[in-house]
Amino acid sequence: MADIAILDTRERVLAGIFLTGAAYLLFSTQDASIKLLVTSMSVWQIIFFRSITILGACAAIGGQQLFADTVRSRIVRPMLVRSAFTLAAWLCYYNAARSLQLAELTTVYYAAPIIVTVLSVVLLGEKVPVLRWLAVLIGFAGVFVACDPAHLGLSVPVLLVLTAACLWGIAIVLLRKTALAERSMIQLLLNNFYFLVFSAVPALLWWHTPDPTQLLLLASVGALGGLAQYLLFEGMKRSPASILAPLEYTSLLWAFALGFAIWGDVPRREVFLGAALIVAAGLLIVGGEHFRKRL
């Protein structure tokens, strides 16, 4: 029986790793699709279409019972606050996408996990070991190198990405209080219902009638984003956060590959070096946590 339990646990962990890795691939592909759209369409309209697509899928899968369960959920209010911060982060992030390479965009955005560490002290009162503060400094150094003051500097797009990272960091801290408290489908429905409400009026004010190619991209953004969110929620339920954390950095690899494949972008060496430092900082945090738990 013990062997069966161990095997079951291993299978759950492996499933969590697979689901989370697939989620980050889908998120990166979604970002590439949005980068193609933002040159001719407002971010509000993209989020509006994305939300409608995901809510339509939720209705088809869960039916009336899902909506009834969602109304009674205890995370309705916490998700409202978190969704507001998430939406603000995405608005900053995708507006910056007009001016930055996908690799630059993703690398600078990876200030977010570092900011989460700082905010966990300020907002949650967590105690952060010295090793993790060292990782934070290395991570900030990576972001600084990737920004390369001589090249990108503190331009408006870079400031938008850094603002997005701060807002996303706050959203992640809020997510820690609700992530495992509710079913994935309910989280998905609430998240995108709020996005729909927030984006409806601005989307209509800055409406651009999409052509067939843009309609296809909008549909892909909804499908990719919705499936990615669901896989991420499910992956988090199956594997410990310390195991899944390094998988987030696969987004950097996908961003580099997609940027080259679609736009022919070859990131500057500073972006590669910054990405390496950021990944090293993340792995140092994860390794430090494993070592601390063993002690």
Side-chain angles (χ1 to χ4, degrees), residues 3 5 9-10 12 37 80 91 106 120 151-152 161-162 164 170 197 207 216 235 240 246 263 274 281 293:
D3 290 340
T9 301
R10 286 177 180 173
R12 283 181 62 82
L37 285 166
L80 172 61
L91 288 171
T106 307
S120 66
H151 181 80
L152 290 179
V161 179
L162 291 173
I170 296 172
V197 172
W207 183 264
L216 184 61
W263 294 278
K293 286 178 180 178

Side-chain angles (χ1 to χ4, degrees), residues 7 44-46 65 91 112 122 166 180 206 277:
L7 183 60
W44 291 109
Q45 189 174 347
I46 295 168
Q65 186 60 48
L91 288 171
V122 178
C166 290
L180 302 179
W206 287 287
L277 287 171

